[in-house]
Amino acid sequence: MKLNFNKAFLFLMVFCSMLMYAQKNTENFDGVYNSKGAAFVINKNKTFLVIAYGTLIKGTWTVEKDILHLKPKNPDAKFYVYARKNPDIKKGMRMSFMGDGVGSNILVGEFPDKMQPLFNDDANCMDYPNVYVFKEKLPAITLLEEQNYENGRGVEIPKLIYNFPTGEYNDFIVQYMKDSLYYNDFVFKITKQGLSEMNEGSEKPLKKSSQKELSDEKELNFLNQSFDMAFDADYKLVNNAYNMNDDMSEKIDLASYKYDKQRNVYVNPAVPVKELNYKSDDFHYNDVLMKFDKITGTSQAQVAVKKLSKPLFVANCNN
């Protein structure tokens, strides 16, 4: 009994030592690391940010043995759809298409025999916003992206057909998530000197700095919120010019607006009613805002659909 007790005690001591070492390492490698032109912000709360020119990546991290895995939060679908009921639309429906990279490889319409290319081939004069008015309301919006090439990053992105029931709504925003928004995991090696890149034979630790040297807490919160607004928003607030306010240059608080039930819009109560411009095409006019709520759809593996020859939009500089 004494021998078994000693073995158990020894095992417990070793386990606790290993746990304390792992916890110590976890607490010690939080900070900011510069690697390959990007700043990796590792937080103690198991989250991280990658900040580079024109790029913001957010996600969570885990530790397996001596490897730090950073798992990016990739889009969970190629299309997000936001909807509202527009009392000004008496018949049919309206749809706005957002996102870099929208083109002729995107099909939209009624599954399976009324699918149209979003743009003509070699479209080169795309306007903003791209808003299309359907004469008849579709019972459901079907979206898919045709891909005849390999994703350059090697990230596995399922080829799916997305279906969104229109229900009571008649005004929609379709947000397209291009391939370059998807990222593979980032991995670093945990050494006694700190984090190092996974290059074979490389043990040189990355230079670590505090978050205060990179940015203050307010700016980091700004980056976090900016990512959530673009990738994980429950609704979109847009004006008549379809400014989605994703850049977070000025956070909009709906509590400071007054809801106009008749028009289903939010208006600035500080502006006299006669001075409100419901049809303003000023990109930064926010005295009248439309609220589009995110709706849930279904998806399935891509199957053959009938592709109509006429695109929704024709964008050709030569015409």
Side-chain angles (χ1 to χ4, degrees):
M1 292 292 293
K2 185 177 180 180
L3 182 61
N4 289 340
F5 174 79
N6 287 340
K7 285 184 177 180
F9 180 76
L10 180 61
F11 172 80
L12 182 61
M13 290 295 292
V14 172
F15 175 78
C16 289
S17 297
M18 292 175 63
L19 182 61
M20 290 174 64
Y21 176 76
Q23 289 176 338
K24 184 178 180 181
N25 275 352
T26 299
E27 293 173 358
N28 285 345
F29 61 62
D30 66 288
V32 179
Y33 300 84
N34 291 302
S35 176
K36 299 177 181 177
F40 289 79
V41 183
I42 313 296
N43 301 311
K44 286 185 178 182
N45 64 356
K46 299 294 183 75
T47 65
F48 74 89
L49 285 173
V50 181
I51 305 167
Y53 181 75
T55 301
L56 178 63
I57 306 168
K58 183 178 177 181
T60 57
W61 58 261
T62 58
V63 173
E64 294 181 16
K65 295 183 178 180
D66 61 345
I67 304 298
L68 175 66
H69 292 263
L70 307 182
K71 186 173 184 60
K73 177 178 173 54
N74 288 328
D76 55 17
K78 291 293 292 185
F79 300 95
Y80 294 166
V81 177
Y82 299 82
R84 68 185 284 262
K85 190 172 183 178
N86 188 338
D88 293 332
I89 298 177
K90 306 302 181 183
K91 185 179 180 181
M93 56 188 276
R94 183 171 70 175
M95 201 178 304
S96 174
F97 297 87
M98 305 286 191
D100 295 333
V102 293
S104 59
N105 61 326
I106 295 174
L107 303 184
V108 58
E110 193 170 357
F111 179 82
D113 56 357
K114 295 181 180 179
M115 302 291 294
Q116 293 177 260
L118 188 58
F119 283 95
N120 56 295
D121 291 334
D122 302 318
N124 54 13
C125 278
M126 298 182 184
D127 294 326
Y128 183 93
N130 296 302
V131 181
Y132 189 85
V133 178
F134 292 82
K135 293 181 179 180
E136 300 293 334
K137 182 180 174 182
L138 306 179
I141 301 168
T142 300
L143 298 154
L144 67 90
E145 179 182 24
E146 294 182 313
Q147 289 183 316
N148 299 317
Y149 56 88
E150 291 293 329
N151 181 347
R153 289 202 180 123
V155 183
E156 185 176 347
I157 304 175
K159 293 183 67 174
L160 301 173
I161 296 176
Y162 298 89
N163 296 284
F164 297 88
T166 55
E168 62 179 345
Y169 304 112
N170 59 1
D171 204 356
F172 303 89
I173 292 175
V174 175
Q175 184 176 0
Y176 167 68
M177 312 304 283
K178 61 183 180 179
D179 283 1
S180 60
L181 296 174
Y182 293 75
Y183 292 87
N184 286 308
D185 292 2
F186 301 95
V187 291
F188 294 97
K189 189 173 183 179
I190 304 171
T191 69
K192 292 181 179 180
Q193 290 75 34
L195 296 183
S196 66
E197 295 181 357
M198 289 294 294
N199 298 336
E200 187 175 353
S202 174
E203 292 289 339
K204 184 178 180 181
L206 296 172
K207 184 179 179 181
K208 175 183 173 181
S209 59
S210 68
Q211 291 188 7
K212 290 183 179 179
E213 294 180 42
L214 172 72
S215 176
D216 61 30
E217 185 177 352
K218 184 177 180 181
E219 287 177 303
L220 286 174
N221 288 336
F222 169 90
L223 292 173
N224 268 301
Q225 292 174 2
S226 178
F227 183 95
D228 292 341
M229 284 284 290
F231 289 87
D232 201 23
D234 293 327
Y235 61 87
K236 297 287 187 184
L237 291 174
V238 304
N239 58 17
N240 195 57
Y242 284 91
N243 179 0
M244 297 174 71
N245 298 290
D246 279 345
D247 60 2
M248 295 290 292
S249 58
E250 182 181 353
K251 187 175 180 180
I252 296 176
D253 183 5
L254 273 184
S256 62
Y257 280 71
K258 181 180 179 181
Y259 178 60
D260 183 333
K261 185 177 181 180
Q262 183 177 355
R263 292 178 178 265
N264 191 19
V265 295
Y266 290 82
V267 299
N268 184 352
V271 178
V273 176
K274 292 183 179 180
E275 296 180 15
L276 289 172
N277 187 350
Y278 293 90
K279 301 299 181 182
S280 173
D281 58 2
D282 183 344
F283 189 74
H284 297 289
Y285 182 80
N286 284 335
D287 287 337
V288 179
L289 294 174
M290 300 177 287
K291 180 174 179 281
F292 288 76
D293 294 306
K294 188 176 183 180
I295 61 174
T296 302
T298 59
S299 62
Q300 66 185 77
Q302 286 194 18
V303 296
V305 297
K306 183 177 180 181
K307 182 178 177 180
L308 304 179
S309 59
K310 183 181 179 182
L312 287 189
F313 300 103
V314 175
N316 192 336
C317 283
N318 297 325
N319 290 344

